[in-house]
Amino acid sequence: MNRVIVHSDINHCYAQLEEMRNPALRHVPMAVGGSAEKRHGIILAKNDLAKAAGVLTAESLHEARRKCPDLVVLHPDYEAYMYCTEQIKDIYRQYTDRVESFGLDEAWFDLTGTKRLYGDPLELARRIQQEVYQCFGIRVSMGVSWNRVFAKLGSDLDKQMGFTVITPENYRELVWPLPVEALVMIGRRTQLKLNAMGLFTIGDLAQTDGMAVTRRLGKIGGLLWRCARGFDMSPVLCSGHQEQAKSVGSSKTLVHDVTTLQQLRQVCRVLCESAAARLRAAGLRGWVVSLALRGTDLRWKGSHQVRLLQPTDLASDLTAAVYGLIDRQHLSSLSLRSVGIQVSDLVCGPGFDQPDLFSRPDSRSRQRSLEDAVNEIRVRYGYDKCRMASMRVDVDLTDFDPLGHLHQVHPVGFLRGPVN
């Protein structure tokens, strides 16, 4: 192979990390899950004993406990998980400067060109896998290939500390018989579209007319067709690389249903404060503000957006824009489970504040200083130490961490740039 790309996947990541912290948990059925009281009570990860009892990832805690009454459920400790997984990735970084995280539990690393220093790259990957197990007691599955797509697919083939090598010589036998949804980037909707075309395996996709797939799915169709044939030359990014954000948003599954406009505005204010704080921390401003509402039937009620007169990073501007979107919808009755706001069409730098014709020229500067001071207090002492009095009307509804630093654990995308 002209490139040696490794994808590592920590098996049942959260559950394994909890077992590492408390070895006694290895002898009982255990899962890491959310909070049923706060209505995000699903299984995030489970150990082998829980899996043997039929517990599934993403099912409700109620259903999991019905299958396994003795199930021990732990709430996730994201801060500890981030620390532990970074320690594991530091092992990869000892051998290459190209280590790219894909969420907490997954990473690619490029061993191309390491032969002179460490010998055969395949044997080096095996040694790294064993080193992780010896240092942390953590089982990591690895896939090795000449491209990132097949490397990730290889790590998925054997979740029990597997080691799968996919080469230009054997990929047709290993990859093409797999269902088309096994290919990264193919979700449920894309799978149904491909199935409607008579494409059920990766081999079906690879051997069909690429132009037909592109006409059916658009640009992503051609991308998937090329990936199925192994034509992925996207590089593994260097450690520490940061992608430019395309949008900043906040969303929340609420502790109880929103049934009044007053409740909806309270939730939106907290979400806008979160988005504004993250925009300023990243040195960004946004032109477009979007509002998404999901009902108790779990269906999203469409996304509504507005373009501002100037880009902003102020919570006051975002709140006013979102309130305007709410008013424009003329909502007569409400029954909402989730609310989300998003700021997009971002620009970098401090920019220039266009003065309002009917306000003081320094009003926006003063507003920004005020919001920075409030945010500094919240970061240092906790969000609850400085908040709007109106947020106390329904404390249960607005009592959540709006900054959400510990919950940004998933990647925003897979491929960047062209796929040749």
Side-chain angles (χ1 to χ4, degrees), residues 93-339:
R93 297 182 184 111
Q94 294 176 14
Y95 300 97
T96 176
D97 63 341
R98 291 191 173 273
V99 179
E100 179 183 346
S101 295
F102 192 55
L104 281 184
D105 55 341
E106 301 181 44
W108 285 277
F109 53 97
D110 190 344
L111 297 182
T112 306
T114 61
K115 186 174 183 177
R116 289 188 178 182
L117 290 174
Y118 304 110
D120 180 56
L122 292 180
E123 290 303 316
L124 174 60
R126 291 184 184 274
R127 295 202 304 270
I128 293 173
Q129 185 184 46
Q130 291 299 319
E131 185 175 349
V132 171
Y133 186 72
Q134 292 167 6
C135 291
F136 300 98
I138 296 295
R139 302 186 304 275
V140 177
S141 294
M142 288 189 173
V144 185
S145 189
W146 77 95
N147 65 71
R148 298 197 313 152
V149 173
F150 286 174
K152 174 167 172 52
L153 194 150
S155 69
D156 291 335
L157 293 180
D158 185 353
K159 288 295 188 179
Q160 295 299 319
M161 203 171 171
F163 190 92
T164 304
V165 181
I166 299 176
T167 69
E169 291 73 34
N170 69 8
Y171 79 93
R172 291 178 178 83
E173 291 75 27
L174 290 179
V175 174
W176 281 9
L178 298 174
V180 70
E181 61 269 24
L183 199 64
V184 69
M185 299 182 295
I186 296 184
R188 178 62 177 167
R189 291 186 179 181
T190 303
Q191 174 198 344
L192 293 176
K193 292 178 181 179
L194 292 171
N195 291 166
M197 298 177 64
L199 308 177
F200 295 93
T201 68
I202 296 177
D204 292 339
L205 174 60
Q207 297 176 84
T208 194
D209 180 7
M211 291 302 298
V213 182
T214 302
R215 285 193 298 269
R216 179 68 177 86
L217 301 180
K219 185 177 180 181
I220 188 65
L223 174 62
L224 294 174
W225 178 80
R226 291 191 293 273
C227 287
R229 298 178 67 86
F231 298 155
D232 165 33
M233 296 304 294
S234 58
V236 177
L237 297 178
C238 290
S239 300
H241 178 86
Q242 294 292 330
E243 285 288 319
Q244 172 69 47
K246 295 184 178 180
S247 65
V248 169
S250 300
S251 63
K252 181 64 179 176
T253 297
L254 306 168
V255 70
H256 66 73
D257 295 342
V258 164
T259 57
T260 69
L261 288 176
Q262 180 185 14
Q263 291 175 332
L264 178 57
R265 290 192 175 97
Q266 288 175 357
V267 173
C268 287
R269 175 176 284 279
V270 180
L271 296 176
C272 287
E273 289 176 344
S274 169
R278 291 162 57 192
L279 283 169
R280 289 197 297 278
L284 300 170
R285 298 186 184 192
W287 281 97
V288 177
V289 180
S290 305
L291 171 67
L293 307 174
R294 186 170 66 168
T296 53
D297 58 359
L298 302 184
R299 295 181 179 273
W300 289 100
K301 300 182 180 301
S303 178
H304 306 271
Q305 65 182 34
V306 62
R307 186 172 182 84
L308 306 176
L309 296 178
Q310 59 180 315
T312 188
D313 57 4
L314 295 178
S316 57
D317 290 344
L318 301 182
T319 303
V322 170
Y323 284 4
L325 289 173
I326 294 173
D327 293 339
R328 281 166 46 186
Q329 294 183 60
H330 304 292
L331 298 171
S332 57
S333 62
L334 289 176
S335 184
L336 302 175
R337 182 183 177 93
S338 300
V339 179

Side-chain angles (χ1 to χ4, degrees), residues 334-366:
L334 289 176
S335 184
L336 302 175
R337 182 183 177 93
S338 300
V339 179
I341 68 105
Q342 185 180 71
V343 185
S344 57
D345 197 0
L346 304 180
V347 293
C348 298
F352 173 75
D353 284 324
Q354 177 66 42
D356 188 283
L357 182 62
F358 302 103
S359 64
R360 293 170 57 92
D362 61 344
S363 60
R364 291 180 64 80
S365 177
R366 293 173 61 187

Side-chain angles (χ1 to χ4, degrees), residues 71-82:
L71 183 68
V72 176
V73 179
L74 304 176
H75 292 316
D77 184 348
Y78 291 112
E79 188 171 18
Y81 301 160
M82 284 189 282

